[in-house]
Amino acid sequence: MSIADDIETSRARLTQHLGDRRPAVAILLGSGWGAVAAQVADAVEVPYAELPAFPRLSVGGHSGLLRAGMIEGRQVLVLAGRKHAYETGEADGMKGAIRTLAACGVKLLVQTNAAGSCDEQMRPASLMLISDHLNLSQRSPLFGEPGDDRFVDLSDAYDAALRAQARAAAQAAGITLHEGVYAWFLGPQFETPAEIRMARLLGAQAVGMSTVPETILARHAGMKVMGLSLLTNMAAGMDRQALSHAHTLATAKAGEAQALQLMRAVLAAIEI
Ligand code: HPA
C-alpha cells in the first residue's frame, strides 16, 4: 500500500465515523494538554490503529486516539498522540495523519506542546503563543517529496490574524499569553547551556522537540496553523533546576488547568 492509499483509506474510515460532523479545526495534543481531550462533548472516538495513515505509537502505553466532537460550540478533532522525530530520526512520522486531516476538510491545525523557556520573563507553567519557528535540526518531513509545491512558503507559518484573535481571547479571559519564536531541537536529549545561549542569540524564546514538522506538513497541505506552548521549565543553564521528563510532566500538570482555559477561550473566539 502506498501512503496515498493509506490516506484515502483513513479519510474514508474517518469520514464514516464523523457522520454529519464537519470539523474545521484539529488540535494536536502535546505534553500538558491532555485534559483538552476530555473536554470534547458528544465525542466519537477513533483509535489511530484503525487509520493506516496514522502513526503506530509506543510511548507510555498510549496507542493514539482521535476524538471528534464539540468544544465551546465548535466542532473539533482532537488528536492525542504524536510521533516525534526523536523516536526514529525521521521527521515525517505525522505525514499521513496531517494529510488525512486535510483530506477530511480540516482548515486549521492547532498545535500544542510543552517547551523550555529561553526568556527570563516567561516563567515555568506559563503559556506562549508561537509567532514563528527556527528549524534548528534542519530536518524536513518533505524530504523526497515530488513536485513544486514542496517548496512551501513559511513566511506566515503561524497565521497572523489567528494569533491576534488568540491574544485578544487570552486577554479577555485574564490569561497571560506570551508570544515568541519556538526553536526545534531534534532531541531526545535536552539541550546544553551553550545550545540555549545559541538559540537565544538566534532569537528563540522557547525550545522544544516537536511541532515544527507538523507545521511544515500542515502548511504544505494548505492548512493554517496555530501553536501554543506550555512552558514547563527554564531552558538548560538558565536556572538550577535539573531537566528531566518527569519534571516536564510535573510542571505540565501544574499548568494544565490554565492551558485548558486558554484552549477554550481561543476556540470560542477564532474565526476560520
Ligand atoms: N527542551 C526541549 N524540549 C522541552 C523542554 C526543554 O527544555 N522542556 C519541555 N520540552
Side-chain angles (χ1 to χ4, degrees):
M1 289 279 268
S2 71
I3 179 158
D5 293 332
D6 285 346
I7 291 166
E8 177 48 28
T9 304
S10 303
R11 186 204 58 76
R13 287 191 188 159
L14 187 51
T15 304
Q16 197 166 28
H17 280 290
L18 289 175
D20 54 10
R21 296 176 171 89
R22 292 286 174 275
V25 179
I27 306 168
L28 181 53
L29 300 181
S31 302
W33 295 84
V36 171
Q39 297 290 312
V40 182
D42 302 321
V44 58
E45 292 194 344
V46 188
Y48 287 9
E50 277 189 36
L51 306 171
F54 276 57
R56 301 292 162 257
L57 305 178
S58 45
V59 270
H62 298 294
S63 49
L65 187 68
L66 195 148
R67 276 172 72 88
M70 306 284 278
I71 303 182
E72 292 290 332
R74 187 182 291 277
Q75 294 203 22
V76 293
L77 258 174
V78 175
L79 279 72
R82 77 157 40 93
K83 192 88 172 172
H84 296 88
Y86 60 69
E87 296 174 57
T88 60
E90 305 296 334
D92 64 354
M94 295 299 284
K95 179 151 72 179
I98 301 291
R99 291 183 181 174
T100 299
L101 297 178
C104 288
V106 170
K107 304 285 179 237
L108 167 65
L109 180 66
V110 179
Q111 295 226 53
T112 65
N113 61 38
S117 170
C118 310
D119 183 331
E120 300 285 0
Q121 307 304 315
M122 306 194 312
R123 305 309 297 177
S126 65
L127 294 156
M128 188 189 93
L129 179 63
I130 301 179
S131 59
D132 203 346
H133 73 226
L134 283 165
N135 182 352
L136 293 183
S137 80
Q138 283 296 294
R139 306 292 176 95
S140 173
L142 302 179
F143 286 163
E145 190 71 21
D148 283 355
D149 63 357
R150 72 186 129 170
F151 301 109
V152 186
D153 182 357
L154 292 181
S155 45
D156 188 24
Y158 301 88
D159 191 82
L162 287 168
R163 276 190 283 131
Q165 292 162 18
R167 282 194 299 271
Q171 192 175 21
I175 301 167
T176 300
L177 181 59
H178 303 288
E179 188 166 2
V181 173
Y182 174 94
W184 176 36
F185 282 85
L186 191 54
Q189 71 287 343
F190 285 104
E191 301 74 30
T192 63
E195 286 167 341
I196 295 303
R197 287 196 297 276
M198 175 192 76
R200 293 178 69 172
L201 275 173
L202 295 178
Q205 276 78 45
V207 289
M209 304 177 197
S210 68
T211 304
V212 167
E214 294 85 1
T215 294
I216 296 169
L217 286 165
R219 297 299 294 146
H220 180 253
M223 283 186 256
K224 293 181 177 178
V225 177
M226 180 185 291
L228 298 169
S229 294
L230 172 54
L231 303 167
T232 51
N233 55 279
M234 296 312 292
M238 293 186 65
D239 70 7
R240 275 188 226 166
Q241 174 69 48
L243 298 177
S244 70
H245 190 54
H247 179 253
T248 295
L249 295 182
T251 314
K253 200 87 203 141
E256 196 171 61
Q258 207 180 32
L260 187 57
Q261 204 194 343
L262 175 67
M263 183 61 77
R264 297 194 77 107
V266 166
L267 288 174
I270 51 174
E271 289 164 27
I272 306 145

